[in-house]
Structure formats: C-alpha cells, structure tokens
Amino acid sequence: MKSMLLVLAAAGSMVMAGAANAADAGADLAKAKGCLGCHAAAEKKVGPALKDIAAKYKGNKDAAATLTAKLKDGKGHMKVAATDAELKTLVQWSLAAK
Ligand code: HEC
C-alpha cells in the first residue's frame, strides 16, 4: 500500500514538472516572438492580460482553434509569423494563464 502511494506521488510530481516546462516553453517563445511587448500575464498592456484572455475563453472548447486562426490569419489581431507548432504553444500559453 505504501509503495502504491509513493508511485502515485512520483507520477503526480512528474505531471507538475511537465506543466511547468510547457509554461516555460510558451513564455520563452512569446518573448522571442515579441508577444510580451503587448501582453503580460496579469496586467493589461497594449493587449489584454493573459489571465483575462484565459478567463474570457474559459470553458470554450473552440478556444484553441479560434485563437490559432486569429493569430495565424491576422483576423482581429496582427498576423503572427510562427509555425503551426509554435502557434499551438503560443495559444496554449495564452490560455493557461491564471
Ligand atoms: C502590437 C501589439 C501586440 C502584439 C505584439 C501581440 N498582441 Fe496579442 N493582442 C493585442 C491586442 C491589442 C489585443 C486585443 C484585441 C484582440 O482581441 O485582437 C490582443 C489580443 C490577443 C489575444 C486574445 C484574442 C481574443 O480573441 O480575445 C491573444 C490570444 C493574443 N493577443 C495572443 C498574442 C500572441 C501569442 C502574441 C505573440 C505571437 C501577441 N498576441 C502579440 C496586441 C498585440
């Protein structure tokens, strides 16, 4: 029983570490792409705070697709020059803010 708990605890901390790495990757990419010039995690700059974006799209199952299209095609947002994989990371980063 005890070893079972240890396995669960280890799995849990691995999941946490994975999430932290994904957030870091998003933030690094956002910096590299210049997003942080207009967006910050918690306060409004030129663009809305990430936490406000995340709150606006909370529970919207089309959020990722909507935002990806917006950024990719420059619809209602300046066009973002990024690969599909980069866009995915950036959109996840935008939606993960709390
Ligand atoms: C020149 C300033 C500027 C830059 C650079 C910028 N944004 Fe924005 N962004 C805005 C403004 C202004 C808005 C609010 C208007 C809107 O919703 O499009 C916004 C809105 C957004 C939204 C929410 C859209 C919605 O539907 O609510 C997301 C997501 C977003 N930006 C992501 C990014 C990402 C990712 C990058 C970097 C690749 C980026 N932005 C770079 C100005 C900027």
Side-chain angles (χ1 to χ4, degrees), residues 27-64:
D28 284 350
L29 192 58
K31 201 171 174 184
K33 294 287 176 189
C35 316
L36 296 180
C38 291
H39 294 284
E43 71 265 21
K44 188 173 173 0
K45 290 173 89 179
V46 180
L50 295 174
K51 73 171 172 45
D52 293 339
I53 297 173
K56 175 177 159 190
Y57 283 97
K58 195 165 190 279
N60 180 342
K61 63 177 171 41
D62 298 325

Side-chain angles (χ1 to χ4, degrees), residues 29-30 33-39 46-48 50 53 56-57 66-67 70-71 75-78 80 82 87 90-91 93-94:
L29 192 58
K33 294 287 176 189
C35 316
L36 296 180
C38 291
H39 294 284
V46 180
L50 295 174
I53 297 173
K56 175 177 159 190
Y57 283 97
T66 305
L67 291 181
K70 237 182 180 181
L71 299 177
K75 285 192 191 120
H77 192 275
M78 55 158 223
V80 171
L87 279 172
L90 289 168
V91 165
W93 167 76
S94 308

